[in-house]
Amino acid sequence: MKAVVLHSFGPASNFRYETVPDPEPGPGQVRIVVKAIGVHLVETMMRQGMTGALPPLPELPSIFGGEVSGTVDSVGPGVDASWIGRDVVTNAGKPGGYAELAVADLAALYPVPEGLSHETAVAMIVTGTTTLQFLDVARLTPDDVVLVTSAAGGIGRLLVQYAKGLGATVIGAAGGPAKVAAVRELGADVAVDYNEPSWEKGLEPTVVLDGVGGEKARAAYSTLVDGGRYLSIGDASQEGYAPVPERGISVTNALLLLLERWEDVPRFAAASLAAAAEGRLVPAVQTFPLAEAAAAHEALAARRTTGKVVLIP
C-alpha cells in the first residue's frame, strides 16, 4: 500500500510518500480501506520532534495519524465476518492513518451513520468529540455572551454553531477577512478580525473559549465581564497563556481536564457522530491528497486552513 512515512523529525518536507507492506488485522482487529484521514495540530508538533504536554514521540520510521474513516475489508481472528463491508470510523488507527490501509481494534470502532460522508465522520470523531467535551465543561446557557477565538477552525466552527443553537449571543474571532466572513456565515452575532489592532475593544463576553493562546488570548481575557468564565481549549499560537484570575473571573484549562477524562471519550464520540448525522453540527472540511500530507501540515501549522484538515488517499 501507499503511505506517508516520517523517517526523521523536522520540517514537513521530511515526509515520504512510499510503498510499505499492507497491515494485517490481528486478534480482535479489523482492516480498513481508508477513505479519509484526519490531521491534528498536535501531529505537526510531533513531526518536528517537540516534546512536553504531547503524546510520546513515536519511534521512527513512523506513519502518523489515528483518525481514520473507511470500509472494513478483512477481519482478524475472533472477529465476526459480518464486519466486512461496513463503513466505520476510529480515533485509533494503526500503525497510522496516513495510509491506504489501516487496522483498528474492534473496541475502537464506531459505525458511520447512514448518509454521513467519510470526510465528515473523520472530522467529527476527534474534533467533534473534543468540542462536545469542552462544551460539557463550559456549561453554556442561553443568557451567555460567548467569545470564541479561532472561530473559523475545526473546533471553533462547531462551538459557534452549538452556542447559536442554544440561543446564546456569539462573538467569533478569526484571522483575516475570508475567515471572518466564514464565521459570519455560521451565524455569529459579531465577527471580528483578531489580526486588526484593538480588535477586542467594546466586547463584553461572559464566557471566553480560547484556542489560540498568546497575545490574542490575553486580549480576549481582558474583555470578560466581572465574574465571567475563561476556558483555555488549545494553544494554536504555541505561545501559551495562563491568566491569573481576577475580578471574580474563573479560569479553567479545559484541555487539561479532557486529558484526565479518557473514559468519557466513547460517549461523546457517539454523540458527535449523531449530531453530525442529524445536521445539528456541521464541520467544515479542507481536503488534501494523501500524497500532499506535507503541504497539509505546513498549511495547518501556519493557520492557513479553515475547518478540519482531511487527507484523501
Side-chain angles (χ1 to χ4, degrees):
M1 69 173 181
K2 288 290 189 180
V4 173
V5 183
L6 186 71
H7 291 275
S8 60
F9 295 118
S13 58
N14 284 4
F15 278 134
R16 295 289 180 266
Y17 185 61
E18 57 193 49
T19 300
V20 301
D22 292 354
E24 295 297 335
Q29 294 184 325
V30 303
R31 187 172 71 182
I32 302 167
V33 177
V34 178
K35 303 293 181 63
I37 308 134
V39 180
H40 198 284
L41 181 63
V42 72
E43 293 168 0
T44 69
M45 303 175 193
M46 294 172 67
R47 182 253 305 151
Q48 297 174 68
M50 295 175 61
T51 58
L54 300 171
L57 295 179
E59 293 185 9
L60 300 181
S62 175
I63 300 173
F64 276 34
E67 305 167 29
V68 173
S69 185
T71 305
V72 175
D73 81 331
S74 65
V75 299
V79 179
D80 195 308
S82 64
W83 279 95
I84 296 175
R86 293 191 191 181
D87 290 330
V88 298
V89 61
T90 182
N91 56 11
K94 305 172 185 178
Y98 293 13
E100 294 176 326
L101 296 169
V103 299
D105 294 338
L106 196 62
L109 295 182
Y110 298 86
V112 175
E114 185 175 354
L116 203 65
S117 71
H118 288 290
E119 293 87 348
T120 299
V122 85
M124 294 300 289
I125 194 59
V126 170
T127 299
T129 300
T130 304
T131 299
L132 293 185
Q133 289 179 284
F134 285 147
L135 289 164
D136 186 61
V137 175
R139 302 292 184 184
L140 302 182
T141 74
D143 295 327
D144 276 318
V145 178
V146 185
L147 169 57
V148 180
T149 64
S150 196
I155 288 176
R157 293 176 66 96
L158 298 179
L159 291 171
V160 169
Q161 292 175 45
Y162 180 94
K164 281 302 299 178
L166 187 65
T169 300
V170 180
I171 305 165
K179 290 188 176 182
V180 171
V183 172
R184 190 173 292 112
E185 289 174 6
L186 286 172
D189 298 280
V190 178
V192 296
D193 186 343
Y194 55 30
N195 289 336
E196 294 293 329
S198 303
W199 64 270
E200 74 276 18
K201 299 301 182 185
L203 305 180
E204 295 185 330
T206 61
V207 181
V208 167
L209 300 172
D210 174 63
V212 179
E215 286 303 314
K216 292 179 176 61
R218 190 184 308 277
Y221 179 81
S222 73
T223 67
L224 276 164
V225 299
D226 292 354
R229 290 119 67 201
Y230 175 91
L231 287 85
S232 174
I233 62 172
D235 184 24
S237 69
Q238 299 180 39
E239 297 173 2
Y241 179 61
V244 176
E246 59 182 358
R247 298 188 288 114
I249 295 171
S250 66
V251 175
T252 303
N253 187 329
L255 186 59
L256 184 61
L257 282 180
L258 264 58
L259 295 175
E260 298 172 351
R261 297 179 179 179
W262 288 109
E263 69 277 4
D264 293 339
V265 169
R267 174 166 62 93
F268 285 108
S272 71
L273 291 169
E278 295 163 9
R280 291 184 284 113
L281 293 177
V282 181
V285 174
Q286 184 167 344
T287 63
F288 291 78
L290 175 60
E292 297 177 14
H297 265 234
E298 290 172 346
L300 180 58
R303 297 167 64 191
R304 297 196 304 268
T305 59
T306 299
K308 179 67 176 181
V309 174
V310 174
L311 303 176
I312 305 296

